[in-house]
């Protein structure tokens, strides 16, 4: 991975055999919409956050993982919502996980960082793709929508807020 340049250009490279310092293979990379962070998923299901300007890993209070197991399932895809408040990923275990950027534990006196929000196993076989969409709630306010489509030909919509 190569960090951003002052002109705003980004270049990054992933080699199939590239490993980070933990010995885990990177399986997915996604930039936040504002370009300040790079989300990097690893083969063990852990997601690390890199500062795009410094190239340094951000220190998190809680590790971002798709599983509590020591060896999680490899992340196959990641997406970030248009406003950068959520990101979702799917893994080889057919699960979709959601993460939210907010004050730690909802306490406004604590720092804002990415936190695990939920996980569900919806599909009978692998997840083909995930996507965020936008909709309107009952009062006409914009709301996030998260979808997955599986190799089982099923489409699921997830409740992002609850």
């Amino acid at each position: 991975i190569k960090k951003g340049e002052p002109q705003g250009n980004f270049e990054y490279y992933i080699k199939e055999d590239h490993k980070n310092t933990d010995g885990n293979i990177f399986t997915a990379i996604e930039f936040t919409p504002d370009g300040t962070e790079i989300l990097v998923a690893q083969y063990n299901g852990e997601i690390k956050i890199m500062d795009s300007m410094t190239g340094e890993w951000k220190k998190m209070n809680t590790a971002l993982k798709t599983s509590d197991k020591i060896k999680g399932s490899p992340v196959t895809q990641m997406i970030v919502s248009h406003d950068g408040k959520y990101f979702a990923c799917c893994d080889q275990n057919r699960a979709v996980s959601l993460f939210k950027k907010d004050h730690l534990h909802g306490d406004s006196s604590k720092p804002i960082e990415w936190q695990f929000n939920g996980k569900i196993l919806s599909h009978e076989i692998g997840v083909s793709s995930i996507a965020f969409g936008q909709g309107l709630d009952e009062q006409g306010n914009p709301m996030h929508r998260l979808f997955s489509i599986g190799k089982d030909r099923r489409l699921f919509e997830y409740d992002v807020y609850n």
Side-chain angles (χ1 to χ4, degrees):
I1 295 175
K2 182 179 179 184
K3 66 181 179 179
E5 299 175 2
Q7 299 83 9
N9 299 326
F10 285 100
E11 293 182 28
Y12 65 95
Y13 306 91
I14 302 176
K15 295 163 81 176
E16 249 181 74
D17 61 347
H18 181 74
K19 294 184 178 187
N20 67 17
T21 55
D22 297 334
N24 285 304
I25 297 171
F26 298 153
T27 58
I29 290 182
E30 190 70 34
F31 289 89
T32 56
D34 63 4
T36 60
E37 296 176 322
I38 304 170
L39 311 176
V40 181
Q42 302 176 98
Y43 191 80
N44 68 353
E46 188 174 343
I47 295 122
K48 292 195 171 199
I49 311 296
M50 178 183 282
D51 182 300
S52 63
M53 295 310 290
T54 65
E56 299 293 323
W57 296 114
K58 289 192 171 186
K59 302 242 184 282
M60 307 293 289
N61 285 308
T62 306
L64 298 177
K65 299 188 293 184
T66 58
S67 174
D68 287 333
K69 296 178 183 173
I70 293 173
K71 184 176 180 190
S73 186
V75 172
T76 57
Q77 182 187 358
M78 279 192 311
I79 56 166
V80 181
S81 64
H82 72 282
D83 60 1
K85 291 183 180 178
Y86 294 91
F87 82 85
C89 60
C90 56
D91 62 33
Q92 286 184 355
N93 195 34
R94 308 177 329 265
V96 175
S97 299
L98 180 68
F99 297 82
K100 181 179 182 181
K101 192 169 193 176
D102 199 359
H103 291 281
L104 278 176
H105 312 294
D107 183 349
S108 60
S109 67
K110 296 195 176 187
I112 294 175
E113 67 178 48
W114 290 106
Q115 302 168 69
F116 178 79
N117 204 45
K119 176 180 175 176
I120 191 164
L121 182 70
S122 300
H123 296 277
E124 294 177 19
I125 54 178
V127 178
S128 297
S129 187
I130 53 176
F132 276 107
Q134 289 183 282
L136 298 176
D137 65 14
E138 294 82 21
Q139 289 79 33
N141 299 316
M143 60 180 259
H144 293 91
R145 299 174 76 189
L146 176 60
F147 301 92
S148 70
I149 189 161
K151 294 176 184 173
D152 55 6
R153 299 182 186 174
R154 300 172 103 186
L155 172 72
F156 289 96
E157 180 177 359
Y158 304 93
D159 184 351
V160 173
Y161 301 105
N162 295 316

